[in-house]
Amino acid sequence: MNWKTIRDLIGVEMKAGRMLRGKRLIKYNTGRNRFFTYLEYGVAVAIGLAVGVLIGYFYNSAFPADIQSQFITVFANFQVSLPTLILVVTLVFTMMQQFQRSGTSFKNQAPYWLPVTWQEHTTASIFSDVLGIPLIAIAAIAPAIIAIAAFTGQLPLAIGASVAMCAAAFTAGATTEVFRILQVRFTGAVYKSSGKAAIWVRFASTLVFFVLFYIVYSYVIYGTGISNALQAVASVQSAAWFVPFVWVGVTLSYFASGMFIYGAVFLILSLLFILGLFYLCVSLNTRFGLYEPPAITVSSGVYAPKTGVLGKLGFAPVESALLRKDLKAFTRRRELISAFILPIVVIIIPIFSSFNTSTSSSSSAFPTQFGFAFTSLFPAAVMAMMLGNFMTGEEGQSIWRIYFSPISAKNYVKSKYAFMLFFAIIILPITSIVGFFIYHPALGTMFTLIAESVFVVFAVGALSLANGIKGADFNEVPRPRMIRAEWSIINLLTCGAAGLAVLAPLIPNVITDVTGIQFTFLALYQAVIISGVIAAVLTVIFYQVALSNAKELLTKAQV
Amino acid sequence: MSTNYANAVELKNVTKRYNELVAVNNLNLTLSQGEIFGLLGPNGSGKSTTLKMLLGLVQPEEGSVHVLGIDAKKDPVAIKKLVGYAPEAPHLYEFLTGIEFLDFIGDIYGMHTEEKRSRINEYLKALQLEGREGDMISSYSEGMKQKVALISAFLHKPKLLILDEPLNALDPRTARIVKDFLQELKQQGVTTIMSTHILEIAQAVCDRIGIMYQGKLLALGNMEELRRMASMPSSGLEDIFLKLTGTGDIKAVVEELVK
Ligand SMILES: Nc1ncnc2c1ncn2[C@@H]1O[C@H](COP(=O)(O)OP(=O)(O)OP(=O)(O)O)[C@@H](O)[C@H]1O
Ligand SMILES: [Mg+2]
């Protein structure tokens, strides 16, 4: 293995972020670049060190003796658990990154014509997976614990924990790499199968994949509903010495408690495991690393253009063409399919948790109404927010087609808005039915909330579309971002505000319901009507903003 | 829009800057109807920028652009409706199949179903894409993608064709077909402006040729006029091009490379 090659490959990977940040590097000036690329890690080390010294100083000067001894035990436990923590964090982080990248994985494929061995490629790939948040975390935590340990006299353990953290991050990176290769391999297999079915297989498998991931993820993060199961997982994990991924942590804990023979055994086991994982990566990469371009035959035979249902609904040919194109994009492009995941997760989670908590339901009106509101209103609103947000950036480099085609701003906004409305509203009956069966709300409540959902979707959708056009990001390297980070935040905040504005007239009714204090000065139907008027006004305003943003977009084709 | 225009394309004192860089410098160009015009020039000389300004994709800082009698600043969509454009890179929707993409283009230009169907089938056949039209574009070769991009420029029978390096990546047979097709369209009064690096094609197809260099139009005219301008009476376009763009010292450059 040539370490210089590996370093160069990692460097390329790091620079890939440039396109996203929009930096323009005019001069070829490596010295300066290197300083800035390592700056964030340097800052992390400095902060970690400072925090560590501060805590150590307090430990020495301010802690009474009994708290000191307590602190030492807690701190030792913390260090022993660090490798596993880092492993989980890195795993979650790199996996998420991989999912986001999956749409363009072929663009990041190994430059196979270069004199680079698969070992070198794999090593570089694992390291660059770990770059960023995981490595910054390690760069901050390691000096911190070493600094504290210098005061508490636990230096060997702290150094061991620091090394173990690196090993854990590497393990996580390697695991992600294995999954990445397999993913490319399997979707590649689906790619190569021909016929329309291939697209549906892809669609369905991506949905299942993401849903499973999000469910596991949200249970791990929030532990909603199945706290019992989580506890079981935790207890299994503590006894999971036979799971290779915790071997690094186990090694550390044996050394910490002075059981050096066991420690040595697990040290050797850990090393063997990491090496084995690495060679698994290399051999998988050697076999499947090269991306084979997909060749899906979607249709064959006579070309018979459709006469358009959309045309009858009052869409101009341009608009219905755009709508049909977007529909195909959202069912065929993996990173777009994920837009449909969140609503599904929002539907599934209450179903799951309703199995667990079926005994203690409907003690008051409060959880019922909120549960139902969450299940029915939230997915549609979020759908409107997300779709509007990236329906423009989704065009990617092909936005040029839109630029030079005779598409007016009106056509553009109308078709995108219609698409967004269609998908946000189509999930409304589904979520409402699910919500109805779980929470059994009163019919009045249900219809109020459905009406409100529609209002919110119209207003928030128009706003997010306006934001999405303004903040669109057409860079596809190294992965499609679709919207610039600052605009995604602006969108989140403004959409939240707009949603609240639409719902505002109902707030007194909600307060009355929850507290029992008579606070209402409007009948429910009056509140709904006012809320509808607010939504209509907002929709018109935001639609106009979207139009003027689109005009600007279409005349400033200088991406 | 107005159909009574004297010139198909009219650029007056057009200047386009990207920050400090002057991409197009005080350009004047007039094309009459039914003309085939070739835009030549070294890399980065401003050809693509000029073509983009015709469609209103890029707004010039100074000067005016009129295409088919329409001001490119005021109503770019009206121009886009009448014009067929093939960009430098094909910019196709890779998740569509060839046929779906062309169908999309047909709809964008408001073509009727029957017309769309017959036209698309004709072109697919002529450019030998038959049998692959049902595959996703992501699996096409570079040349196939370029063919699709060209068909989408021709599909709606535009009055003006703006082609940015149209023969890129095409096989000899297809290149020949496109060349002959352009001549055929010229008989029907279609104006073509294209940029190219293939000098033989410019020499063979174009009625007039403009040579750009650093954003300026160095020379403009038919082959005879260009020869006179370069005072190279019996030379081919290559020698004229090299002389005019000051890149004639090829020999010295090559010697430097070989060293
Ligand atoms: N979006 C942009 N931002 C900044 N500069 C640009 C942009 N587009 C073009 N330029 C610059 O404008 C100049 C002219 O570019 P243009 O694409 O018109 O050249 P060209 O003649 O088409 O070259 P080629 O033969 O390589 O296609 C170049 O120097 C280029 O760097
Ligand atoms: Mg060009």
Side-chain angles (χ1 to χ4, degrees):
Chain A
M1 275 208 285
N2 184 345
W3 286 96
K4 193 177 163 302
T5 311
I6 294 172
R7 205 196 68 200
D8 294 343
L9 286 175
I10 296 174
V12 169
E13 198 75 27
M14 284 170 92
K15 281 177 195 128
R18 238 185 236 168
M19 297 288 271
L20 300 183
R21 291 194 292 268
K23 266 189 207 159
R24 277 193 60 181
L25 290 160
I26 296 162
K27 298 234 163 54
Y28 184 75
N29 188 345
T30 34
R32 187 178 142 267
N33 291 348
R34 200 164 292 161
F35 174 76
F36 278 104
T37 35
Y38 296 124
L39 186 65
E40 48 202 26
Y41 300 101
V43 170
V45 171
I47 291 176
L49 207 58
V51 170
V53 169
L54 209 66
I55 294 177
Y57 177 75
F58 272 114
Y59 165 86
N60 252 2
S61 57
F63 286 12
D66 55 331
I67 294 192
Q68 271 189 347
S69 69
Q70 245 178 347
F71 180 84
I72 286 183
T73 342
V74 171
F75 185 50
N77 279 338
F78 172 68
Q79 292 182 69
V80 167
S81 64
L82 264 180
T84 309
L85 282 178
I86 287 286
L87 179 90
V88 171
V89 168
T90 313
L91 212 52
V92 169
F93 185 79
T94 53
M95 288 276 181
M96 298 273 277
Q97 216 175 19
Q98 279 310 324
F99 291 136
Q100 288 173 315
R101 270 187 200 176
S102 58
T104 49
S105 51
F106 66 95
K107 284 188 174 153
N108 298 340
Q109 75 166 313
Y112 55 85
W113 61 91
L114 295 179
V116 174
T117 66
W118 280 112
Q119 260 113 331
E120 289 159 358
H121 171 76
T122 308
T123 314
S125 182
I126 293 173
F127 277 132
S128 43
D129 266 345
V130 176
L131 287 178
I133 306 272
L135 197 61
I136 288 176
I138 294 175
I141 294 174
I145 58 171
I146 289 174
I148 299 172
F151 287 93
T152 61
Q154 293 166 302
L155 258 184
L157 178 60
I159 291 168
S162 302
V163 175
M165 277 196 290
C166 294
F170 185 85
T171 316
T175 310
T176 303
E177 184 72 5
V178 168
F179 276 104
R180 187 186 66 77
I181 305 163
L182 289 179
Q183 192 198 358
V184 169
R185 168 66 194 156
F186 285 127
T187 47
V190 178
Y191 262 135
K192 269 182 282 170
S193 64
S194 63
K196 256 188 184 151
I199 289 171
W200 290 107
V201 169
R202 251 177 98 190
F203 184 65
S205 61
T206 313
L207 274 185
V208 169
F209 191 60
F210 271 98
V211 167
L212 283 181
F213 175 76
Y214 273 93
I215 290 173
V216 170
Y217 176 74
S218 55
Y219 278 152
V220 168
I221 300 295
Y222 305 111
T224 26
I226 51 156
S227 50
N228 302 342
L230 249 187
Q231 227 154 28
V233 171
S235 59
V236 165
Q237 210 171 33
S238 66
W241 57 268
F242 49 84
V243 175
F245 286 98
V246 297
W247 283 351
V248 178
V250 173
T251 308
L252 206 60
S253 78
Y254 276 127
F255 276 119
S257 47
M259 299 155 86
F260 293 105
I261 298 175
Y262 280 110
V265 169
F266 272 95
L267 180 64
I268 292 166
L269 281 178
S270 309
L271 288 177
L272 284 179
F273 171 63
I274 293 174
L275 267 180
L277 198 61
F278 177 69
Y279 277 99
L280 177 65
C281 278
V282 173
S283 62
L284 281 176
N285 246 332
T286 315
R287 266 207 78 179
F288 308 127
L290 283 184
Y291 175 84
E292 291 149 90
I296 305 186
T297 306
V298 180
S299 59
S300 54
V302 194
Y303 163 54
K306 293 192 197 78
T307 28
V309 187
L310 289 166
K312 295 199 187 86
L313 289 173
F315 289 99
V318 177
E319 291 153 4
S320 44
L322 282 174
L323 276 167
R324 279 204 299 273
K325 176 206 68 109
D326 279 336
L327 184 64
K328 283 171 188 146
F330 273 83
T331 48
R332 291 181 194 177
R333 288 175 54 187
R334 220 171 320 143
E335 73 275 19
L336 296 183
I337 294 175
S338 63
F340 303 120
I341 306 304
L342 190 100
I344 294 174
V345 173
V346 173
I347 298 169
I348 286 176
I349 286 179
I351 295 181
F352 268 75
S353 48
S354 75
F355 292 148
N356 281 18
T357 55
S358 52
T359 45
S360 65
S361 66
S362 66
S363 50
S364 74
F366 180 82
T368 303
Q369 287 182 356
F370 274 83
F372 182 73
F374 179 74
T375 313
S376 68
L377 200 154
F378 190 65
V382 168
M383 202 61 174
M385 189 181 86
M386 288 202 320
L387 283 180
N389 196 356
F390 63 68
M391 285 223 50
T392 299
E394 161 257 318
E395 297 281 341
Q397 293 286 307
S398 302
I399 187 69
W400 276 100
R401 267 292 148 194
I402 306 275
Y403 286 154
F404 62 71
S405 295
I407 296 168
S408 65
K410 215 170 123 255
N411 296 143
Y412 182 81
V413 174
K414 189 171 161 196
S415 76
K416 295 279 175 184
Y417 191 59
F419 187 89
M420 185 275 308
L421 280 186
F422 178 73
F423 273 102
I425 290 185
I426 210 171
I427 59 170
L428 202 52
I430 305 170
T431 54
S432 301
I433 289 170
V434 170
F436 180 78
F437 280 110
I438 294 174
Y439 298 104
H440 312 293
L443 277 183
T445 316
M446 189 166 122
F447 287 115
T448 308
L449 279 169
I450 291 176
E452 288 300 317
S453 309
V454 174
F455 296 158
V456 169
V457 163
F458 269 84
V460 164
L463 174 60
S464 69
L465 195 62
N467 287 334
I469 295 172
K470 192 91 186 165
D473 183 344
F474 302 109
N475 280 321
E476 293 185 57
V477 185
R479 62 188 166 85
R481 277 256 295 239
M482 307 200 258
I483 185 152
R484 294 199 298 274
E486 66 270 27
W487 275 97
S488 136
I489 292 167
I490 292 174
N491 186 52
L492 192 69
L493 297 178
T494 52
C495 284
L500 280 181
V502 171
L503 295 175
L506 271 83
I507 290 175
N509 299 66
V510 173
I511 292 177
T512 308
D513 269 10
V514 172
T515 59
I517 305 162
Q518 193 56 37
F519 196 72
T520 18
F521 39 87
L522 288 171
L524 192 58
Y525 80 92
Q526 289 170 322
V528 172
I529 289 171
I530 293 178
S531 147
V533 172
I534 295 177
V537 171
L538 289 182
T539 305
V540 171
I541 294 173
F542 294 143
Y543 196 84
Q544 293 304 321
V545 176
L547 267 181
S548 76
N549 286 355
K551 263 187 203 129
E552 195 187 22
L553 175 83
L554 292 177
T555 49
K556 284 204 178 142
Q558 300 175 18
V559 201
Chain B
M1 273 292 128
S2 63
T3 41
N4 47 334
Y5 46 88
N7 299 311
V9 170
E10 210 174 271
L11 292 162
K12 270 193 198 142
N13 306 323
V14 172
T15 299
K16 171 71 207 168
R17 292 188 197 91
Y18 291 110
N19 303 324
E20 314 87 71
L21 189 137
V22 186
V24 173
N25 194 351
N26 197 21
L27 183 74
N28 284 292
L29 183 63
T30 310
L31 302 192
S32 47
Q33 240 178 318
E35 180 176 18
I36 301 183
F37 184 82
L39 207 50
L40 308 184
N43 295 138
S45 55
K47 303 182 296 293
S48 301
T49 307
T50 307
L51 297 184
K52 282 175 196 164
M53 284 192 293
L54 294 182
L55 285 167
L57 296 179
V58 169
Q59 295 292 343
E61 271 79 36
E62 289 159 34
S64 70
V65 179
H66 286 264
V67 174
L68 303 175
I70 305 164
D71 188 336
K73 192 166 192 161
K74 292 218 179 86
D75 199 353
V77 175
I79 295 179
K80 291 173 194 170
K81 274 195 184 123
L82 301 173
V83 165
Y85 175 62
E88 227 165 345
H91 293 308
L92 308 172
Y93 289 113
E94 306 244 328
F95 54 84
L96 295 180
T97 66
I99 204 99
E100 285 171 340
F101 183 80
L102 293 172
D103 187 54
F104 167 76
I105 294 294
D107 288 336
I108 291 286
Y109 287 95
M111 291 171 67
H112 290 294
T113 312
E114 199 38 50
E115 189 190 6
K116 198 168 66 178
R117 195 180 65 81
S118 64
R119 205 84 64 73
I120 289 176
N121 284 329
E122 273 166 35
Y123 280 115
L124 287 176
K125 197 167 178 185
L127 297 189
Q128 292 183 312
L129 279 174
E130 268 182 325
R132 296 300 302 277
E133 70 270 41
D135 293 2
M136 279 223 214
I137 292 179
S138 54
S139 68
Y140 282 12
S141 72
E142 285 308 302
M144 290 165 74
K145 287 181 188 167
Q146 181 65 14
K147 284 179 186 176
V148 174
L150 280 178
I151 296 176
S152 26
F154 294 141
L155 199 59
H156 61 292
K157 295 212 159 159
K159 294 205 177 95
L160 171 69
L161 283 167
I162 300 177
L163 309 175
D164 204 346
E165 301 185 28
L167 303 177
N168 241 352
L170 292 186
D171 58 57
R173 178 184 178 274
T174 316
R176 182 61 189 269
I177 289 178
V178 172
K179 256 161 61 180
D180 292 354
F181 186 56
L182 290 180
Q183 300 281 15
E184 197 58 40
L185 288 176
K186 175 187 150 86
Q187 304 307 320
Q188 300 170 19
V190 175
T191 318
T192 303
I193 174 166
M194 63 183 210
S195 78
T196 182
H197 291 298
I198 310 173
L199 301 180
E200 301 89 68
I201 285 169
Q203 191 166 353
V205 181
C206 297
D207 302 318
R208 284 197 307 157
I209 289 168
I211 298 180
M212 284 190 83
Y213 185 57
Q214 299 190 337
K216 280 194 183 130
L217 204 54
L218 274 191
L220 176 70
N222 57 28
M223 276 308 292
E224 264 319 302
E225 290 163 336
L226 289 182
R227 282 195 189 105
R228 228 175 302 132
M229 225 171 282
S231 43
M232 296 169 92
S234 58
S235 302
L237 190 53
E238 185 173 357
D239 292 324
I240 298 176
F241 178 88
L242 293 178
K243 179 170 181 194
L244 287 176
T245 54
T247 38
D249 53 342
I250 302 287
K251 209 164 165 234
V253 174
V254 174
E255 271 166 12
E256 187 65 24
L257 283 177
V258 171
K259 247 196 321 206

